[in-house]
């Protein structure tokens, strides 16, 4: 009985099938099946029963899962307590929201490489809704997104908020928000939902929202005179210095964006947990540098 057999057994048990377990472990389906078959042969008992939707644990399988969970948890604690960070060689699949990608992501990647020089990192930049689905589907290991994610399997480390500001074209001195389009985050985001409700409550059904998946495009739309914007304070300074946009105050301010470093906490992976803590440290340093 080997660690790889137990790790593979747990993946099949969690994912409910060989195909999804193979995708999570990044190995072939025949390799997954072979490991499970070898484990069953060694133990002399069936661990899974086939059902229409995949596989489920047998009674003996449930007993093994409890023992295997403990073994893997101890293994991860050993890694965390004993293993030197510069000896860790693995792959980290990182998913990041665009707000972070345009601010402190480079500092985070630099710090990760400094702490884990043998670590390979794959970065995906997407909207928080998609990042959430990819994390829960186990196609990402760590996500920096508008959180937290309320799921029993996830751990969330709170990150400093991003302040949102109002921006207007330099030639539009007093925008009328009942008719002037408001440019902001994509429609599947919390800022878009909150803004929709706020505008309707304050200005009625004539208020318009122009959502965008690209923050850079959003600022360019404001600069071009298409509308005003509710966009991150940390990214607006460059456009203001170039005299392409200006701040204004309509009498109310949007809620700051809440971000979390979120990862699958069950089963625990000490490397991912460490990387999340590094993200939290870098985010705190960046927030302090920007806002003091």
């Amino acid at each position: 009985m080997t660690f790889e057999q137990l790790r593979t057994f747990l993946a099949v048990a969690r994912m409910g099938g060989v195909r999804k377990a193979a995708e999570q472990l990044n190995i072939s389906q025949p390799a997954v099946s072979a490991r499970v078959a070898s484990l069953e042969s060694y133990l002399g008992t069936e661990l899974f029963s086939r059902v229409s939707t995949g596989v489920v644990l047998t009674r003996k399988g449930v007993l093994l899962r409890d023992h295997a969970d403990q073994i893997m948890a101890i293994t991860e604690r050993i890694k965390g307590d004993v293993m030197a960070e510069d000896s860790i060689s693995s792959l980290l699949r990182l998913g990041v929201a665009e707000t972070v990608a345009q601010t402190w992501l480079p500092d985070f990647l630099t710090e990760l490489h400094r702490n884990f020089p043998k670590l390979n990192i794959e970065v995906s930049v997407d909207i928080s809704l998609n990042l959430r689905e990819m994390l829960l589907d186990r196609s990402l290991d760590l996500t920096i997104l508008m959180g937290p994610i309320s799921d029993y399997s996830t751990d969330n480390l709170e990150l400093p908020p991003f302040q949102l500001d109002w921006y207007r074209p330099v030639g539009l001195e007093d925008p009328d928000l009942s008719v002037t389009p408001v440019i902001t985050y994509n429609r599947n985001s919390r800022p878009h939902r909150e803004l929709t409700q706020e505008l309707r409550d304050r200005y009625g059904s004539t208020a318009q929202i122009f959502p965008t998946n690209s923050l850079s495009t959003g600022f360019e739309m404001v600069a071009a005179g298409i509308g005003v914007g509710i966009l991150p304070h940390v990214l607006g300074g460059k456009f203001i210095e170039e005299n392409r946009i200006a701040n204004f105050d309509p009498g109310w301010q949007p809620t700051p964006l809440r971000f979390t470093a979120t990862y699958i906490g069950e089963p625990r992976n000490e490397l991912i947990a460490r990387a999340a803590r590094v993200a939290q440290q870098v985010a705190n340093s960046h927030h302090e540098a920007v806002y003091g």
Side-chain angles (χ1 to χ4, degrees):
M1 183 166 53
T2 68
F3 282 115
E4 288 306 317
Q5 288 173 344
L6 290 177
R7 186 175 288 107
T8 303
F9 159 75
L10 286 174
V12 176
R14 284 193 301 270
M15 306 307 293
V18 170
R19 180 181 62 81
K20 289 186 176 181
E23 292 174 354
Q24 180 191 356
L25 296 170
N26 198 29
I27 61 176
S28 68
Q29 294 185 45
V32 171
S33 298
R35 290 180 184 179
V36 172
S38 296
L39 186 57
E40 290 178 325
S41 176
Y42 174 79
L43 296 173
T45 186
E46 289 188 352
L47 301 172
F48 295 100
S49 296
R50 290 194 172 277
V51 295
S52 59
T53 56
V55 296
V56 295
L57 290 168
T58 63
R59 187 175 67 86
K60 293 288 189 180
V62 171
L63 293 175
L64 177 62
R65 180 190 61 192
D66 294 340
H67 291 302
D69 278 335
Q70 295 179 49
I71 292 171
M72 292 300 126
I74 292 172
T75 302
E76 290 301 322
R77 285 201 293 272
I78 291 172
K79 289 180 182 178
D81 293 342
V82 179
M83 182 176 288
E85 292 182 337
D86 60 5
S87 69
I88 296 176
S89 177
S90 186
L91 171 66
L92 178 69
R93 299 168 300 173
L94 175 65
V96 185
E98 188 194 1
T99 307
V100 174
Q102 292 202 29
T103 52
W104 52 263
L105 176 62
D107 293 340
F108 174 43
L109 296 178
T110 299
E111 191 65 15
L112 269 183
H113 182 67
R114 189 183 69 80
N115 283 299
F116 309 103
K118 295 184 179 180
L119 183 65
N120 294 313
I121 306 171
E122 290 183 358
V123 180
S124 299
V125 179
D126 209 328
I127 63 173
S128 292
L129 178 67
N130 293 342
L131 295 176
R132 178 187 185 277
E133 295 306 315
M134 287 189 283
L135 178 69
L136 295 179
D137 194 40
R138 270 62 171 188
S139 57
L140 289 175
D141 301 312
L142 172 63
T143 55
I144 314 296
L145 76 175
M146 291 186 208
I149 295 179
S150 299
D151 186 275
Y152 78 95
S153 66
T154 60
D155 286 345
N156 297 277
L157 293 186
E158 187 173 347
L159 305 176
F162 279 93
Q163 177 183 326
L164 296 175
D165 279 350
W166 285 95
Y167 297 98
R168 61 171 175 82
V170 291
L172 185 60
E173 293 292 339
D174 189 19
D176 180 357
L177 297 186
S178 65
V179 294
T180 303
V182 180
I183 300 157
T184 192
Y185 283 79
N186 69 86
R187 65 177 63 256
N188 292 318
S189 68
R190 185 182 301 116
H192 185 280
R193 176 169 53 83
E194 292 180 355
L195 177 62
T196 299
Q197 188 62 50
E198 193 72 33
L199 288 175
R200 287 176 179 172
D201 289 346
R202 290 175 177 271
Y203 307 105
S205 60
T206 59
Q208 300 180 71
I209 298 178
F210 286 4
T212 176
N213 287 338
S214 167
L215 295 176
S216 298
T217 300
F219 279 107
E220 292 292 346
M221 291 169 69
V222 175
I226 295 173
V228 299
I230 292 184
L231 296 163
H233 165 84
V234 70
L235 298 177
K238 176 175 72 73
F239 291 87
I240 291 177
E241 289 175 2
E242 296 172 353
N243 197 35
R244 301 183 63 202
I245 62 175
N247 288 119
F248 76 103
D249 183 4
W252 57 280
Q253 294 298 318
T255 304
L257 301 182
R258 295 178 58 201
F259 278 81
T260 58
T262 303
Y263 58 95
I264 300 298
E266 179 61 40
R268 184 175 177 82
N269 183 300
E270 187 60 32
L271 168 62
I272 298 172
R274 287 190 191 183
R277 292 194 293 271
V278 172
Q280 188 179 49
Q281 293 165 4
V282 171
N284 286 335
S285 297
H286 180 269
H287 187 269
E288 181 67 23
V290 173
Y291 299 103

